[in-house]
Amino acid sequence: MSSRNDILQAIRDQAIPERPLPSVDIDAIIFDDPITQFQTVLESVGGQLIQVESHAEVTSHLTGFPPYRNAQQVCCAVAGLDNLPDGPNFVQLDAIDDPHDLKAIDYAILPGHFAVAENAAIWVTDEAVAHRAIYFLTQHLAIIVPAGEIVNNMHEAYRKLATKGGLDQHFGAFISGPSKTADIEQSLVIGAHGARSLSVFFVQSQAM
Amino acid sequence: MNHATQATAFVANDERAHWHDSALWFVRSKRDKCAHALPEWEDLRAAASEVKMHTISRLAKYLEQFEVNAKKLGVHVHWAKDGAEHNKIVHGILQKHDVKKVVKSKSMLTEECHLNPCLEKHGYEVVDTDLGERIVQLREEPPSHIVLPAIHLKKQDVSTLFEKHLGTEAGNNDPQYLTEAARGHLRDKFLGADAGITGVNFAIAETGGFVVCTNEGNADLGVSLPKLHIACMGIEKLIPRASDLSLFLRLLARSATGQPITTYSSHFHGPIAGGELHIVLVDNGRTEILGREEFRRSLNCIRCGACMNTCPVYRRSGGHSYETTVPGPIGSILAPARDANEFYSLPYACSLCGSCTDVCPVKIDLHNQLLTMRGKIAEKKILPWSKRIQMRLTSSVMKRTWLFRWAGGIARWIMPKLPRFLVYNRFNPWGKQREMPPFPKKSFRQLYADRKRNRQEDKPK
Ligand code: SF4
């Protein structure tokens, strides 16, 4: 305990005059068309947006994606999205104890809570996803967001998180685009450690 | 050490030095584009700076609040006065969990504390998982930039390195191919790790949680597979409220690489199911800087790297020439603030152009602090005698108008007549690897007088 007390004491000994804490509610950017803004930024960071009416439409789009069609193992943690096209093997996340067993997942379809227009970020948590590792471990990722769940900027995003208790989850993240790196001579390479592709679906109706 | 001496090797490779310069300037330009796209950019900077200054002014209170809230989330909180204690704590946790293999994501703090060599000495396998960090780790050298650790290297270097360590094809320099090879290699490391160590970008006092930002997803993979997560942070990483993140996450990636946000901004509020989460709060000289009013603001730093990308000296001398964990303008304050004897030359590796101050997202007055630091170093009399004599001479000339005029006249007359060897020799570092500008025929005073006379003559009578 002594280091703790020493550090705190050393700080208090400085007797620094208090500076005021400002408000974070600055006049932040708002978009006429947040969805188009989201889409433009998402594409610029290597992702794609697909707007659909229903879960059934998600299914038909997935069938058209080569990474989905060629996937050996797929998992899905989106409630209501259950009649996915046949072909790959489906892995039940809940049935697995050890996230290491998810290492062969090629395609994961996971829920997102809301989208942020300014930076194409989507807020995800491990609330309905048994292993948070799957957001990062899967080779390709689709995130399903209810249409209309979009805010303009990060200020609105944190206000939303505050009212919805979004930070009560042990894990939550903003994800914007697929994993990437530019560590070799500043050349952008998509698919560093995490997902090699990201498709975001805005779905109008949760009914099938 | 001396920055100028260390930079000699870097500038000797002219082509590479130019490449380095323009690669970083490109990142700086991307930052500008992003910043200019937001009308509220300056408001963001002002608010972020104030939040940090407030936090620093009440740091003890916020640290205690953070500790209480983190413990409520089931997090173990540790305190370390210095790097050695930090390493001991981390080692202790790993020992208790019988860990053999550790994956680490980017953390300048663990770099500062020299955690890797300490753990390796105790027989642990420690793998840096950020691609750039893995590259420099395999090369057994430190990162040369805090955000772009391998910016001093070309793809050929990476190719040779990977050929040796990862068995990639000889001569294949394709970044896509090389990244793919690293992805495969590091996946095995992630899957085999017993513990993950991360840094912390922001720790939230009111919730007890913290945020880690990456583009690659390496931090998340590293702490989502093993059951043990250790997060190491400097005590200045604290912010009071979760809503403050709206400022900082908007500023960080835009300033760092010109991206609207990093790919992953992960919020940890408790351990993974069935696992343990430890946080180590590290002082290591920070409270001392806190006590020095003129340098206190440097604790605002969110380690975005923008001041490095824009610095004309950093861009042309490379990060390794600073021989510090954090190089560039901010490093040239933090390092001598801690040890002026060792790092006295860094504040002089600066043209005082002020570009760093212009780009810093948390409004650290970097160039003012660098100038102040020079004064402190001069007071301490730790400058080499050559520099001291030179400065005393310059100041005595500058103080006397007649002498300055006379010396200027002599120089303008004699310098163009001198043979090269008298101008370009080892006593004139300014003539190394560059041509001196031609001496003007007239002094500024003469030019000004001429101009005034001409104007008067031009006036209609
Ligand atoms: S001093 Fe400012 S610009 Fe430099 S790394 Fe820190 S926050 Fe970024």
Side-chain angles (χ1 to χ4, degrees), chain B residues 382-424:
Chain B
I382 35 188
L383 287 175
W385 66 270
S386 57
K387 192 142 196 146
R388 265 192 274 165
I389 289 189
Q390 196 188 334
M391 290 213 296
R392 197 168 302 161
L393 203 71
T394 313
S395 104
S396 60
V397 173
M398 296 281 205
K399 271 193 270 189
R400 297 172 179 84
T401 320
W402 64 269
L403 187 59
F404 181 73
R405 269 195 208 183
W406 180 78
I410 296 280
R412 274 189 304 281
W413 177 69
I414 199 162
M415 288 300 276
K417 297 186 179 51
L418 291 179
R420 271 192 79 82
F421 75 90
L422 275 180
V423 182
Y424 297 90

mmCIF file of all heavy atoms in Angstrom, chain B residues 382-424:
data_model
loop_
_atom_site.group_PDB
_atom_site.id
_atom_site.type_symbol
_atom_site.label_atom_id
_atom_site.label_comp_id
_atom_site.label_asym_id
_atom_site.label_seq_id
_atom_site.Cartn_x
_atom_site.Cartn_y
_atom_site.Cartn_z
ATOM 1 N N ILE B 382 25.415 22.461 -17.906
ATOM 2 C CA ILE B 382 25.780 21.125 -18.378
ATOM 3 C C ILE B 382 26.030 21.108 -19.874
ATOM 4 O O ILE B 382 26.255 20.068 -20.462
ATOM 5 C CB ILE B 382 24.728 20.051 -18.022
ATOM 6 C CG1 ILE B 382 23.337 20.627 -18.091
ATOM 7 C CG2 ILE B 382 25.031 19.432 -16.688
ATOM 8 C CD1 ILE B 382 22.261 19.695 -17.578
ATOM 9 N N LEU B 383 25.999 22.273 -20.507
ATOM 10 C CA LEU B 383 26.296 22.296 -21.933
ATOM 11 C C LEU B 383 27.792 22.109 -22.148
ATOM 12 O O LEU B 383 28.593 22.531 -21.319
ATOM 13 C CB LEU B 383 25.877 23.646 -22.513
ATOM 14 C CG LEU B 383 24.384 23.864 -22.653
ATOM 15 C CD1 LEU B 383 24.119 25.277 -23.113
ATOM 16 C CD2 LEU B 383 23.800 22.870 -23.632
ATOM 17 N N PRO B 384 28.192 21.510 -23.263
ATOM 18 C CA PRO B 384 29.620 21.380 -23.531
ATOM 19 C C PRO B 384 30.271 22.761 -23.676
ATOM 20 O O PRO B 384 29.607 23.709 -24.114
ATOM 21 C CB PRO B 384 29.675 20.604 -24.839
ATOM 22 C CG PRO B 384 28.302 20.592 -25.391
ATOM 23 C CD PRO B 384 27.360 20.909 -24.301
ATOM 24 N N TRP B 385 31.561 22.857 -23.356
ATOM 25 C CA TRP B 385 32.213 24.177 -23.346
ATOM 26 C C TRP B 385 32.144 24.867 -24.693
ATOM 27 O O TRP B 385 31.984 26.056 -24.805
ATOM 28 C CB TRP B 385 33.648 24.074 -22.844
ATOM 29 C CG TRP B 385 34.539 23.283 -23.776
ATOM 30 C CD1 TRP B 385 34.760 21.949 -23.736
ATOM 31 C CD2 TRP B 385 35.282 23.787 -24.890
ATOM 32 N NE1 TRP B 385 35.572 21.569 -24.762
ATOM 33 C CE2 TRP B 385 35.922 22.682 -25.482
ATOM 34 C CE3 TRP B 385 35.468 25.056 -25.454
ATOM 35 C CZ2 TRP B 385 36.725 22.803 -26.604
ATOM 36 C CZ3 TRP B 385 36.286 25.166 -26.580
ATOM 37 C CH2 TRP B 385 36.900 24.052 -27.139
ATOM 38 N N SER B 386 32.235 24.070 -25.787
ATOM 39 C CA SER B 386 32.218 24.685 -27.120
ATOM 40 C C SER B 386 30.937 25.488 -27.326
ATOM 41 O O SER B 386 30.944 26.606 -27.817
ATOM 42 C CB SER B 386 32.349 23.611 -28.192
ATOM 43 O OG SER B 386 31.320 22.667 -28.052
ATOM 44 N N LYS B 387 29.824 24.892 -26.921
ATOM 45 C CA LYS B 387 28.547 25.561 -27.091
ATOM 46 C C LYS B 387 28.457 26.784 -26.165
ATOM 47 O O LYS B 387 27.928 27.830 -26.534
ATOM 48 C CB LYS B 387 27.414 24.583 -26.792
ATOM 49 C CG LYS B 387 26.075 25.111 -27.222
ATOM 50 C CD LYS B 387 25.182 24.013 -27.803
ATOM 51 C CE LYS B 387 24.034 24.627 -28.570
ATOM 52 N NZ LYS B 387 23.627 23.870 -29.724
ATOM 53 N N ARG B 388 29.011 26.640 -24.951
ATOM 54 C CA ARG B 388 28.920 27.745 -23.995
ATOM 55 C C ARG B 388 29.724 28.946 -24.469
ATOM 56 O O ARG B 388 29.264 30.077 -24.452
ATOM 57 C CB ARG B 388 29.423 27.283 -22.622
ATOM 58 C CG ARG B 388 28.256 26.823 -21.751
ATOM 59 C CD ARG B 388 28.702 26.652 -20.339
ATOM 60 N NE ARG B 388 29.263 25.310 -20.159
ATOM 61 C CZ ARG B 388 29.993 24.960 -19.105
ATOM 62 N NH1 ARG B 388 30.297 25.850 -18.183
ATOM 63 N NH2 ARG B 388 30.428 23.731 -18.991
ATOM 64 N N ILE B 389 30.946 28.680 -24.959
ATOM 65 C CA ILE B 389 31.799 29.771 -25.429
ATOM 66 C C ILE B 389 31.147 30.463 -26.609
ATOM 67 O O ILE B 389 31.056 31.676 -26.693
ATOM 68 C CB ILE B 389 33.188 29.219 -25.812
ATOM 69 C CG1 ILE B 389 33.908 28.815 -24.545
ATOM 70 C CG2 ILE B 389 33.971 30.230 -26.631
ATOM 71 C CD1 ILE B 389 35.345 28.449 -24.743
ATOM 72 N N GLN B 390 30.621 29.627 -27.513
ATOM 73 C CA GLN B 390 29.969 30.148 -28.702
ATOM 74 C C GLN B 390 28.814 31.065 -28.306
ATOM 75 O O GLN B 390 28.647 32.143 -28.863
ATOM 76 C CB GLN B 390 29.454 28.932 -29.466
ATOM 77 C CG GLN B 390 29.069 29.167 -30.881
ATOM 78 C CD GLN B 390 28.402 27.878 -31.389
ATOM 79 O OE1 GLN B 390 28.662 26.775 -30.897
ATOM 80 N NE2 GLN B 390 27.531 28.023 -32.354
ATOM 81 N N MET B 391 28.016 30.619 -27.319
ATOM 82 C CA MET B 391 26.864 31.417 -26.924
ATOM 83 C C MET B 391 27.298 32.708 -26.241
ATOM 84 O O MET B 391 26.701 33.761 -26.442
ATOM 85 C CB MET B 391 25.948 30.607 -26.021
ATOM 86 C CG MET B 391 25.265 29.501 -26.796
ATOM 87 S SD MET B 391 23.623 29.100 -26.243
ATOM 88 C CE MET B 391 23.944 28.509 -24.633
ATOM 89 N N ARG B 392 28.367 32.620 -25.430
ATOM 90 C CA ARG B 392 28.818 33.820 -24.744
ATOM 91 C C ARG B 392 29.334 34.845 -25.763
ATOM 92 O O ARG B 392 29.059 36.031 -25.677
ATOM 93 C CB ARG B 392 29.908 33.480 -23.720
ATOM 94 C CG ARG B 392 30.074 34.619 -22.734
ATOM 95 C CD ARG B 392 30.906 34.247 -21.539
ATOM 96 N NE ARG B 392 30.359 33.120 -20.795
ATOM 97 C CZ ARG B 392 31.109 32.409 -19.947
ATOM 98 N NH1 ARG B 392 32.392 32.672 -19.795
ATOM 99 N NH2 ARG B 392 30.570 31.427 -19.268
ATOM 100 N N LEU B 393 30.052 34.312 -26.751
ATOM 101 C CA LEU B 393 30.598 35.178 -27.796
ATOM 102 C C LEU B 393 29.460 35.863 -28.560
ATOM 103 O O LEU B 393 29.450 37.075 -28.747
ATOM 104 C CB LEU B 393 31.412 34.304 -28.757
ATOM 105 C CG LEU B 393 32.480 35.017 -29.555
ATOM 106 C CD1 LEU B 393 33.621 35.420 -28.623
ATOM 107 C CD2 LEU B 393 32.995 34.097 -30.667
ATOM 108 N N THR B 394 28.499 35.050 -28.987
ATOM 109 C CA THR B 394 27.376 35.596 -29.740
ATOM 110 C C THR B 394 26.674 36.668 -28.918
ATOM 111 O O THR B 394 26.351 37.742 -29.422
ATOM 112 C CB THR B 394 26.376 34.475 -30.092
ATOM 113 O OG1 THR B 394 27.110 33.384 -30.600
ATOM 114 C CG2 THR B 394 25.358 34.946 -31.101
ATOM 115 N N SER B 395 26.443 36.371 -27.640
ATOM 116 C CA SER B 395 25.682 37.330 -26.852
ATOM 117 C C SER B 395 26.467 38.628 -26.677
ATOM 118 O O SER B 395 25.897 39.712 -26.711
ATOM 119 C CB SER B 395 25.261 36.710 -25.519
ATOM 120 O OG SER B 395 26.052 37.183 -24.476
ATOM 121 N N SER B 396 27.819 38.547 -26.546
ATOM 122 C CA SER B 396 28.549 39.808 -26.365
ATOM 123 C C SER B 396 28.551 40.628 -27.656
ATOM 124 O O SER B 396 28.534 41.846 -27.627
ATOM 125 C CB SER B 396 29.966 39.552 -25.850
ATOM 126 O OG SER B 396 30.656 38.767 -26.773
ATOM 127 N N VAL B 397 28.531 39.966 -28.802
ATOM 128 C CA VAL B 397 28.444 40.703 -30.065
ATOM 129 C C VAL B 397 27.055 41.323 -30.215
ATOM 130 O O VAL B 397 26.897 42.494 -30.554
ATOM 131 C CB VAL B 397 28.757 39.772 -31.265
ATOM 132 C CG1 VAL B 397 28.508 40.503 -32.583
ATOM 133 C CG2 VAL B 397 30.175 39.266 -31.189
ATOM 134 N N MET B 398 26.041 40.508 -29.919
ATOM 135 C CA MET B 398 24.656 40.953 -30.098
ATOM 136 C C MET B 398 24.320 42.143 -29.196
ATOM 137 O O MET B 398 23.452 42.946 -29.504
ATOM 138 C CB MET B 398 23.683 39.810 -29.778
ATOM 139 C CG MET B 398 23.807 38.647 -30.721
ATOM 140 S SD MET B 398 22.957 38.978 -32.261
ATOM 141 C CE MET B 398 22.602 37.349 -32.820
ATOM 142 N N LYS B 399 24.981 42.196 -28.059
ATOM 143 C CA LYS B 399 24.661 43.253 -27.101
ATOM 144 C C LYS B 399 25.196 44.618 -27.547
ATOM 145 O O LYS B 399 24.784 45.635 -27.027
ATOM 146 C CB LYS B 399 25.233 42.891 -25.726
ATOM 147 C CG LYS B 399 24.252 42.067 -24.880
ATOM 148 C CD LYS B 399 24.701 41.986 -23.450
ATOM 149 C CE LYS B 399 25.586 40.776 -23.265
ATOM 150 N NZ LYS B 399 25.957 40.409 -21.943
ATOM 151 N N ARG B 400 26.207 44.617 -28.439
ATOM 152 C CA ARG B 400 26.843 45.891 -28.834
ATOM 153 C C ARG B 400 26.573 46.168 -30.313
ATOM 154 O O ARG B 400 27.127 45.485 -31.186
ATOM 155 C CB ARG B 400 28.345 45.793 -28.579
ATOM 156 C CG ARG B 400 28.655 45.605 -27.108
ATOM 157 C CD ARG B 400 30.118 45.310 -26.890
ATOM 158 N NE ARG B 400 30.383 45.153 -25.470
ATOM 159 C CZ ARG B 400 30.198 44.005 -24.792
ATOM 160 N NH1 ARG B 400 29.758 42.931 -25.418
ATOM 161 N NH2 ARG B 400 30.451 43.956 -23.504
ATOM 162 N N THR B 401 25.773 47.198 -30.572
ATOM 163 C CA THR B 401 25.382 47.496 -31.949
ATOM 164 C C THR B 401 26.606 47.716 -32.840
ATOM 165 O O THR B 401 26.693 47.171 -33.939
ATOM 166 C CB THR B 401 24.515 48.764 -31.973
ATOM 167 O OG1 THR B 401 23.650 48.719 -30.846
ATOM 168 C CG2 THR B 401 23.704 48.855 -33.237
ATOM 169 N N TRP B 402 27.568 48.514 -32.342
ATOM 170 C CA TRP B 402 28.733 48.834 -33.179
ATOM 171 C C TRP B 402 29.517 47.592 -33.541
ATOM 172 O O TRP B 402 29.944 47.403 -34.671
ATOM 173 C CB TRP B 402 29.640 49.870 -32.474
ATOM 174 C CG TRP B 402 30.253 49.338 -31.183
ATOM 175 C CD1 TRP B 402 29.727 49.449 -29.944
ATOM 176 C CD2 TRP B 402 31.489 48.625 -31.052
ATOM 177 N NE1 TRP B 402 30.539 48.843 -29.019
ATOM 178 C CE2 TRP B 402 31.630 48.337 -29.674
ATOM 179 C CE3 TRP B 402 32.480 48.194 -31.954
ATOM 180 C CZ2 TRP B 402 32.736 47.632 -29.174
ATOM 181 C CZ3 TRP B 402 33.573 47.495 -31.437
ATOM 182 C CH2 TRP B 402 33.692 47.225 -30.067
ATOM 183 N N LEU B 403 29.623 46.687 -32.569
ATOM 184 C CA LEU B 403 30.404 45.476 -32.798
ATOM 185 C C LEU B 403 29.693 44.569 -33.815
ATOM 186 O O LEU B 403 30.309 43.977 -34.697
ATOM 187 C CB LEU B 403 30.593 44.751 -31.456
ATOM 188 C CG LEU B 403 31.516 43.543 -31.466
ATOM 189 C CD1 LEU B 403 32.913 43.933 -31.941
ATOM 190 C CD2 LEU B 403 31.604 42.923 -30.075
ATOM 191 N N PHE B 404 28.386 44.492 -33.644
ATOM 192 C CA PHE B 404 27.576 43.661 -34.538
ATOM 193 C C PHE B 404 27.708 44.161 -35.982
ATOM 194 O O PHE B 404 27.940 43.394 -36.907
ATOM 195 C CB PHE B 404 26.118 43.709 -34.080
ATOM 196 C CG PHE B 404 25.201 42.862 -34.910
ATOM 197 C CD1 PHE B 404 25.221 41.477 -34.802
ATOM 198 C CD2 PHE B 404 24.316 43.433 -35.824
ATOM 199 C CE1 PHE B 404 24.386 40.692 -35.560
ATOM 200 C CE2 PHE B 404 23.486 42.648 -36.602
ATOM 201 C CZ PHE B 404 23.515 41.275 -36.457
ATOM 202 N N ARG B 405 27.608 45.484 -36.151
ATOM 203 C CA ARG B 405 27.735 46.085 -37.477
ATOM 204 C C ARG B 405 29.100 45.815 -38.084
ATOM 205 O O ARG B 405 29.225 45.419 -39.233
ATOM 206 C CB ARG B 405 27.589 47.601 -37.373
ATOM 207 C CG ARG B 405 26.179 48.051 -37.542
ATOM 208 C CD ARG B 405 26.206 49.536 -37.796
ATOM 209 N NE ARG B 405 24.974 50.102 -37.337
ATOM 210 C CZ ARG B 405 24.649 51.368 -37.466
ATOM 211 N NH1 ARG B 405 25.505 52.208 -38.006
ATOM 212 N NH2 ARG B 405 23.501 51.793 -37.055
ATOM 213 N N TRP B 406 30.095 46.020 -37.253
ATOM 214 C CA TRP B 406 31.468 45.867 -37.723
ATOM 215 C C TRP B 406 31.746 44.413 -38.111
ATOM 216 O O TRP B 406 32.235 44.115 -39.197
ATOM 217 C CB TRP B 406 32.428 46.338 -36.609
ATOM 218 C CG TRP B 406 33.861 46.221 -36.969
ATOM 219 C CD1 TRP B 406 34.579 47.064 -37.773
ATOM 220 C CD2 TRP B 406 34.759 45.197 -36.549
ATOM 221 N NE1 TRP B 406 35.870 46.633 -37.880
ATOM 222 C CE2 TRP B 406 36.012 45.485 -37.126
ATOM 223 C CE3 TRP B 406 34.631 44.067 -35.726
ATOM 224 C CZ2 TRP B 406 37.135 44.691 -36.915
ATOM 225 C CZ3 TRP B 406 35.748 43.269 -35.510
ATOM 226 C CH2 TRP B 406 36.980 43.586 -36.116
ATOM 227 N N ALA B 407 31.314 43.478 -37.230
ATOM 228 C CA ALA B 407 31.548 42.049 -37.489
ATOM 229 C C ALA B 407 30.809 41.618 -38.752
ATOM 230 O O ALA B 407 31.343 40.863 -39.573
ATOM 231 C CB ALA B 407 31.082 41.224 -36.288
ATOM 232 N N GLY B 408 29.594 42.129 -38.926
ATOM 233 C CA GLY B 408 28.809 41.795 -40.121
ATOM 234 C C GLY B 408 29.521 42.259 -41.385
ATOM 235 O O GLY B 408 29.619 41.526 -42.367
ATOM 236 N N GLY B 409 30.039 43.464 -41.340
ATOM 237 C CA GLY B 409 30.737 44.023 -42.498
ATOM 238 C C GLY B 409 31.945 43.183 -42.864
ATOM 239 O O GLY B 409 32.151 42.812 -44.024
ATOM 240 N N ILE B 410 32.710 42.849 -41.830
ATOM 241 C CA ILE B 410 33.904 42.034 -42.049
ATOM 242 C C ILE B 410 33.523 40.688 -42.669
ATOM 243 O O ILE B 410 34.114 40.238 -43.651
ATOM 244 C CB ILE B 410 34.630 41.776 -40.704
ATOM 245 C CG1 ILE B 410 35.130 43.083 -40.105
ATOM 246 C CG2 ILE B 410 35.743 40.758 -40.870
ATOM 247 C CD1 ILE B 410 36.424 43.587 -40.698
ATOM 248 N N ALA B 411 32.478 40.074 -42.092
ATOM 249 C CA ALA B 411 32.080 38.742 -42.555
ATOM 250 C C ALA B 411 31.639 38.797 -44.011
ATOM 251 O O ALA B 411 32.016 37.947 -44.814
ATOM 252 C CB ALA B 411 30.952 38.205 -41.671
ATOM 253 N N ARG B 412 30.852 39.802 -44.362
ATOM 254 C CA ARG B 412 30.372 39.898 -45.742
ATOM 255 C C ARG B 412 31.517 40.112 -46.729
ATOM 256 O O ARG B 412 31.474 39.666 -47.858
ATOM 257 C CB ARG B 412 29.351 41.042 -45.870
ATOM 258 C CG ARG B 412 27.923 40.630 -45.530
ATOM 259 C CD ARG B 412 26.928 41.701 -45.880
ATOM 260 N NE ARG B 412 27.242 42.969 -45.232
ATOM 261 C CZ ARG B 412 26.974 43.248 -43.960
ATOM 262 N NH1 ARG B 412 26.387 42.335 -43.206
ATOM 263 N NH2 ARG B 412 27.295 44.409 -43.435
ATOM 264 N N TRP B 413 32.542 40.764 -46.231
ATOM 265 C CA TRP B 413 33.671 41.057 -47.110
ATOM 266 C C TRP B 413 34.589 39.843 -47.263
ATOM 267 O O TRP B 413 34.962 39.441 -48.348
ATOM 268 C CB TRP B 413 34.447 42.257 -46.520
ATOM 269 C CG TRP B 413 35.682 42.605 -47.294
ATOM 270 C CD1 TRP B 413 35.734 43.146 -48.551
ATOM 271 C CD2 TRP B 413 37.028 42.425 -46.862
ATOM 272 N NE1 TRP B 413 37.027 43.319 -48.937
ATOM 273 C CE2 TRP B 413 37.847 42.886 -47.917
ATOM 274 C CE3 TRP B 413 37.615 41.931 -45.681
ATOM 275 C CZ2 TRP B 413 39.246 42.859 -47.822
ATOM 276 C CZ3 TRP B 413 38.993 41.917 -45.592
ATOM 277 C CH2 TRP B 413 39.803 42.372 -46.658
ATOM 278 N N ILE B 414 34.849 39.212 -46.120
ATOM 279 C CA ILE B 414 35.885 38.170 -46.164
ATOM 280 C C ILE B 414 35.343 36.790 -46.544
ATOM 281 O O ILE B 414 36.014 36.033 -47.262
ATOM 282 C CB ILE B 414 36.652 38.128 -44.821
ATOM 283 C CG1 ILE B 414 37.990 37.412 -45.048
ATOM 284 C CG2 ILE B 414 35.862 37.468 -43.717
ATOM 285 C CD1 ILE B 414 38.988 37.677 -43.954
ATOM 286 N N MET B 415 34.127 36.457 -46.105
ATOM 287 C CA MET B 415 33.632 35.083 -46.279
ATOM 288 C C MET B 415 33.647 34.623 -47.742
ATOM 289 O O MET B 415 34.123 33.529 -48.036
ATOM 290 C CB MET B 415 32.229 34.924 -45.690
ATOM 291 C CG MET B 415 32.181 34.943 -44.168
ATOM 292 S SD MET B 415 33.153 33.647 -43.383
ATOM 293 C CE MET B 415 31.998 32.299 -43.447
ATOM 294 N N PRO B 416 33.137 35.428 -48.691
ATOM 295 C CA PRO B 416 33.128 34.944 -50.080
ATOM 296 C C PRO B 416 34.534 34.745 -50.645
ATOM 297 O O PRO B 416 34.723 34.014 -51.623
ATOM 298 C CB PRO B 416 32.410 36.061 -50.848
ATOM 299 C CG PRO B 416 31.697 36.867 -49.809
ATOM 300 C CD PRO B 416 32.505 36.745 -48.565
ATOM 301 N N LYS B 417 35.532 35.373 -50.005
ATOM 302 C CA LYS B 417 36.896 35.264 -50.535
ATOM 303 C C LYS B 417 37.647 34.057 -49.975
ATOM 304 O O LYS B 417 38.695 33.683 -50.480
ATOM 305 C CB LYS B 417 37.682 36.538 -50.192
ATOM 306 C CG LYS B 417 37.095 37.789 -50.831
ATOM 307 C CD LYS B 417 38.006 38.974 -50.572
ATOM 308 C CE LYS B 417 37.493 40.252 -51.202
ATOM 309 N NZ LYS B 417 36.080 40.590 -50.908
ATOM 310 N N LEU B 418 37.084 33.469 -48.904
ATOM 311 C CA LEU B 418 37.824 32.389 -48.237
ATOM 312 C C LEU B 418 37.852 31.127 -49.090
ATOM 313 O O LEU B 418 36.870 30.805 -49.758
ATOM 314 C CB LEU B 418 37.168 32.054 -46.891
ATOM 315 C CG LEU B 418 37.287 33.114 -45.792
ATOM 316 C CD1 LEU B 418 36.547 32.625 -44.543
ATOM 317 C CD2 LEU B 418 38.755 33.385 -45.454
ATOM 318 N N PRO B 419 38.960 30.384 -49.050
ATOM 319 C CA PRO B 419 38.975 29.082 -49.737
ATOM 320 C C PRO B 419 38.029 28.110 -49.022
ATOM 321 O O PRO B 419 37.776 28.255 -47.828
ATOM 322 C CB PRO B 419 40.427 28.637 -49.613
ATOM 323 C CG PRO B 419 41.005 29.441 -48.486
ATOM 324 C CD PRO B 419 40.233 30.701 -48.391
ATOM 325 N N ARG B 420 37.505 27.134 -49.754
ATOM 326 C CA ARG B 420 36.495 26.212 -49.206
ATOM 327 C C ARG B 420 36.919 25.566 -47.890
ATOM 328 O O ARG B 420 36.128 25.437 -46.972
ATOM 329 C CB ARG B 420 36.188 25.107 -50.226
ATOM 330 C CG ARG B 420 35.079 25.471 -51.183
ATOM 331 C CD ARG B 420 34.633 24.235 -51.949
ATOM 332 N NE ARG B 420 33.739 23.376 -51.167
ATOM 333 C CZ ARG B 420 32.438 23.603 -51.056
ATOM 334 N NH1 ARG B 420 31.872 24.616 -51.651
ATOM 335 N NH2 ARG B 420 31.673 22.793 -50.346
ATOM 336 N N PHE B 421 38.186 25.141 -47.841
ATOM 337 C CA PHE B 421 38.569 24.361 -46.644
ATOM 338 C C PHE B 421 38.478 25.172 -45.350
ATOM 339 O O PHE B 421 38.331 24.636 -44.270
ATOM 340 C CB PHE B 421 39.968 23.737 -46.819
ATOM 341 C CG PHE B 421 41.103 24.725 -46.678
ATOM 342 C CD1 PHE B 421 41.673 24.939 -45.420
ATOM 343 C CD2 PHE B 421 41.605 25.416 -47.772
ATOM 344 C CE1 PHE B 421 42.721 25.827 -45.282
ATOM 345 C CE2 PHE B 421 42.641 26.305 -47.637
ATOM 346 C CZ PHE B 421 43.211 26.525 -46.387
ATOM 347 N N LEU B 422 38.511 26.481 -45.492
ATOM 348 C CA LEU B 422 38.395 27.304 -44.284
ATOM 349 C C LEU B 422 36.939 27.454 -43.826
ATOM 350 O O LEU B 422 36.665 27.717 -42.673
ATOM 351 C CB LEU B 422 39.001 28.686 -44.525
ATOM 352 C CG LEU B 422 40.513 28.779 -44.306
ATOM 353 C CD1 LEU B 422 40.998 30.188 -44.579
ATOM 354 C CD2 LEU B 422 40.903 28.334 -42.904
ATOM 355 N N VAL B 423 36.005 27.265 -44.741
ATOM 356 C CA VAL B 423 34.585 27.383 -44.375
ATOM 357 C C VAL B 423 33.992 26.012 -44.058
ATOM 358 O O VAL B 423 33.284 25.827 -43.079
ATOM 359 C CB VAL B 423 33.784 28.041 -45.525
ATOM 360 C CG1 VAL B 423 32.324 28.205 -45.112
ATOM 361 C CG2 VAL B 423 34.398 29.374 -45.908
ATOM 362 N N TYR B 424 34.336 25.058 -44.929
ATOM 363 C CA TYR B 424 33.759 23.722 -44.748
ATOM 364 C C TYR B 424 34.761 22.818 -44.056
ATOM 365 O O TYR B 424 35.570 22.169 -44.695
ATOM 366 C CB TYR B 424 33.332 23.138 -46.100
ATOM 367 C CG TYR B 424 32.241 23.957 -46.750
ATOM 368 C CD1 TYR B 424 32.563 25.003 -47.605
ATOM 369 C CD2 TYR B 424 30.902 23.701 -46.458
ATOM 370 C CE1 TYR B 424 31.549 25.776 -48.174
ATOM 371 C CE2 TYR B 424 29.894 24.460 -47.024
ATOM 372 C CZ TYR B 424 30.220 25.492 -47.877
ATOM 373 O OH TYR B 424 29.225 26.247 -48.424
#
